[in-house]
Amino acid sequence: MSDGSNSPGNSGAQLTGGIALGRAADVERPLRIGILVSGRGSNMQALVAACRQGHVAAQPVIVVSDRPGAPALEKALAEGIPVRCLDFHSYPSREAYERDLIDTLQAAEVELIVLAGYMRILSSEVIRAFPQRILNIHPSLLPSFPGLHPHEQALAHGVKLSGCTVHLVDEGVDQGPIIAQQAVPVLDDDTPETLSERILEVEHQLYPEAVRLMASGALRLFDRRVVRSVERRQ
Ligand code: GRF
């Protein structure tokens, strides 16, 4: 039972209180995910592969791009996933674009939105339409180095560890509650490119794992803390 309390209670093996995230999904009723892209789409591919291989109880039902030439669109089509291109620059306003985006995702009956290299900041309209149901991956250990050029920021600061973070999307930029993180070493001869490659490899593991957790029905949110309860046996 959710009592809305702010700290995790423990009743036997089951966590109580807080807000339940995601839903317990299985092969018969996989979590319906919509993937938003703007570019290359390697995280999208990793996630689609994990779903297809049965590691994640989720089904990519739509891929939406805000950019007509995004390579991710071709990759999604090759996977047989329905795609929509909502060319941001063809809309009279950001509001009109986002209205169409919300309608498109709702028409596809999306339960979880996964931002995979999607280069726009979502307004509160979109976030309110899908509360606690939007994930993002960022290539740094948040809250360090949010926003643009995180690899350059990490190297300029001189950190010895960086990595990636999957988080819920809220009104702030790269600020929502953290679902999962993974660290990688920063090497003395790293450039933004080599660091980015090392982190990207880990992103391809971490993002499917975070979606798997959202589809396990085991996550609860207490203020900013995402806590894992006992997972249902599949
Ligand atoms: C990734 O590094 C991701 O962390 C960031 O944008 C990049 C997207 O790469 N948000 P891809 O399009 O998934 O290949």
Side-chain angles (χ1 to χ4, degrees):
M1 189 185 74
S2 172
D3 61 5
S5 96
N6 288 334
S7 44
N10 210 319
S11 123
Q14 206 67 35
L15 273 178
T16 56
I19 298 168
L21 298 177
R23 144 174 99 72
D26 56 30
V27 256
E28 272 90 53
R29 223 162 63 85
L31 197 68
R32 296 175 64 85
I33 59 174
I35 306 175
L36 268 51
V37 296
S38 300
R40 178 176 57 183
S42 70
N43 276 289
M44 176 203 74
Q45 280 186 302
L47 183 54
V48 170
C51 296
R52 298 266 156 94
Q53 289 158 11
H55 301 315
V56 179
Q59 179 190 4
V61 293
I62 192 164
V63 169
V64 183
S65 172
D66 64 323
R67 283 185 38 216
L73 283 174
E74 286 298 318
K75 293 176 180 166
L77 278 174
E79 293 286 348
I81 303 167
V83 303
R84 284 290 305 277
C85 179
L86 306 181
D87 181 0
F88 181 83
H89 296 292
S90 72
Y91 288 83
S93 64
R94 172 178 166 167
E95 289 71 26
Y97 164 79
E98 287 196 334
R99 190 63 256 162
D100 209 5
L101 180 62
I102 292 170
D103 289 348
T104 300
L105 294 166
Q106 285 177 340
E109 296 177 28
V110 161
E111 297 175 275
L112 180 70
I113 298 165
V114 178
L115 308 186
Y118 180 70
M119 295 306 287
R120 297 200 171 275
I121 293 166
L122 296 171
S123 77
S124 48
E125 258 57 60
V126 182
I127 291 159
R128 274 204 300 267
F130 302 96
Q132 275 100 39
R133 286 193 284 144
I134 310 177
L135 293 187
N136 183 41
I137 189 159
H138 184 76
S140 76
L141 292 177
L142 292 172
S144 293
F145 317 130
L148 293 175
H149 311 303
H151 310 103
E152 284 85 345
Q153 291 187 59
L155 291 173
H157 196 90
V159 291
K160 301 299 183 197
L161 282 176
S162 189
C164 51
T165 305
V166 178
H167 63 93
L168 291 171
V169 174
D170 64 10
E171 265 90 357
V173 176
D174 301 324
Q175 280 176 23
I178 291 170
I179 306 276
Q181 286 186 305
Q182 180 77 47
V184 305
V186 178
L187 306 182
D188 288 347
D189 59 354
D190 262 336
T191 63
E193 290 73 30
T194 59
L195 180 58
S196 158
E197 276 169 31
R198 191 174 312 115
I199 293 175
L200 193 64
E201 263 183 50
V202 177
E203 290 183 43
H204 295 164
Q205 308 297 318
L206 192 72
Y207 220 175
E209 172 59 12
V211 175
R212 190 190 71 76
L213 288 170
M214 291 292 284
S216 72
L219 296 183
R220 300 191 81 83
L221 177 67
F222 299 86
D223 288 335
R224 288 194 49 88
R225 275 182 78 197
V226 176
V227 178
R228 196 190 315 189
S229 176
V230 171
E231 287 188 33
R232 215 166 56 103
R233 287 186 209 285
Q234 303 260 352

